[in-house]
Amino acid sequence: MALLFECEVRYKIENIKKFERSIKELGAKLLYPYRFTDYYYGPKDKNWDLVKKNLRIREWQKPKNPTTIYFVRNEVVSIGRIRFKRAFYPQGKVPLFSGELKMCESLLEGLGFKKLFIVKKEKATFWALPQGFKTVLEYIKGIGWWGELEFNGKNPATAKKEIERALKILGIKKENVSYKTISAIFFENIKK
């Protein structure tokens, strides 16, 4: 979704059919379906906090986009009772290189990084709601259905209000909301 200093939360979707029905009743319009695989990397000699740093290769299956290495650095913002992650760089994901998957893997390995795990987003859709925001719904192999809300983070207090408003409109329970990156959520679940 890539917004200026993107501020986002993730939310667990307990029943995808019911949730899709409810957003359609709100007037949501499907913008497009998509599918991709992210290959996450980290330093060979230490661990990264996956909430704060991500290095990945994104290989698109649908739509066709270039396979790209991205670096993301985040900070966790707490305002009141809500926590969300905010991109450190204005463009969010910083593209470092685009090319064939094997070349991307070789480049990262040559720089001293190792592959940590793979996240497959197999059934994913991007929706626009008439209430003035967008969301994605993604089936992630191994952890199920998740949604994402992302807002312009130039002003974190404004982003907080927009996140809270969108969560209320969507009827998302607070216990289903996470400030963590999907890589951190995935990694926590595969370690169990």
Side-chain angles (χ1 to χ4, degrees), residues 47-54 76 181 184:
N47 292 325
W48 275 358
D49 179 341
L50 291 170
V51 172
K52 295 184 179 175
K53 287 184 185 177
N54 272 278
V76 177
T181 60

Side-chain angles (χ1 to χ4, degrees), residues 64-127:
K64 273 293 180 199
N65 288 317
T67 298
T68 303
I69 299 172
Y70 290 103
F71 177 70
V72 178
R73 184 172 166 202
N74 299 309
E75 61 181 338
V76 177
V77 177
S78 297
I79 301 175
R81 286 186 267 162
I82 191 163
R83 294 172 84 188
F84 53 91
K85 74 174 187 65
R86 180 177 185 256
F88 186 81
Y89 302 112
Q91 63 273 43
K93 290 184 280 297
V94 178
L96 301 178
F97 176 81
S98 292
E100 296 295 320
L101 177 61
K102 292 288 182 204
M103 176 58 101
C104 291
E105 290 174 327
S106 176
L107 178 62
L108 290 179
E109 289 164 10
L111 288 169
F113 294 96
K114 64 180 178 183
K115 191 182 300 179
L116 302 175
F117 52 88
I118 298 169
V119 174
K120 292 183 178 217
K121 297 185 180 181
E122 298 174 330
K123 301 175 216 165
T125 50
F126 188 32
W127 297 82

Side-chain angles (χ1 to χ4, degrees), residues 10-20 23 33-34 120-127 136-148 172 176 182 185:
R10 289 281 180 168
Y11 56 90
K12 178 80 175 145
I13 301 169
E14 296 170 348
N15 182 323
I16 189 61
K17 290 183 183 196
K18 182 179 174 186
F19 190 77
E20 281 183 334
I23 65 169
Y34 61 95
K120 292 183 178 217
K121 297 185 180 181
E122 298 174 330
K123 301 175 216 165
T125 50
F126 188 32
W127 297 82
V136 298
L137 310 178
E138 301 171 327
Y139 178 76
I140 301 165
K141 190 173 183 176
I143 60 171
W145 285 97
W146 285 82
E148 175 187 273
I172 306 294
N176 286 346
I182 207 63
I185 293 167

Side-chain angles (χ1 to χ4, degrees), residues 1-3 6-13 19 34 36 40 56 58 85 93 121 125-127 129 133-138 140 145-151 163 166-167 170 172 176-178 180-183:
M1 290 168 35
L3 298 169
E6 60 190 32
C7 289
E8 70 179 49
V9 293
R10 289 281 180 168
Y11 56 90
K12 178 80 175 145
I13 301 169
F19 190 77
Y34 61 95
F36 60 77
Y40 284 89
R56 67 180 163 232
R58 176 161 292 168
K85 74 174 187 65
K93 290 184 280 297
K121 297 185 180 181
T125 50
F126 188 32
W127 297 82
L129 283 92
F133 63 93
K134 295 175 181 157
T135 193
V136 298
L137 310 178
E138 301 171 327
I140 301 165
W145 285 97
W146 285 82
E148 175 187 273
L149 290 167
E150 183 178 293
F151 295 93
I163 289 169
L167 290 170
L170 294 173
I172 306 294
N176 286 346
V177 178
S178 178
K180 295 178 181 177
T181 60
I182 207 63
S183 58

Side-chain angles (χ1 to χ4, degrees), residues 150-187:
E150 183 178 293
F151 295 93
N152 182 320
K154 192 171 182 182
N155 182 331
T158 300
K160 174 212 180 256
K161 289 177 187 170
E162 291 173 335
I163 289 169
E164 288 177 324
R165 177 180 166 269
L167 290 170
K168 185 175 180 180
I169 289 168
L170 294 173
I172 306 294
K173 298 176 195 170
K174 288 187 181 181
E175 62 267 19
N176 286 346
V177 178
S178 178
Y179 65 91
K180 295 178 181 177
T181 60
I182 207 63
S183 58
I185 293 167
F186 182 85
F187 189 67

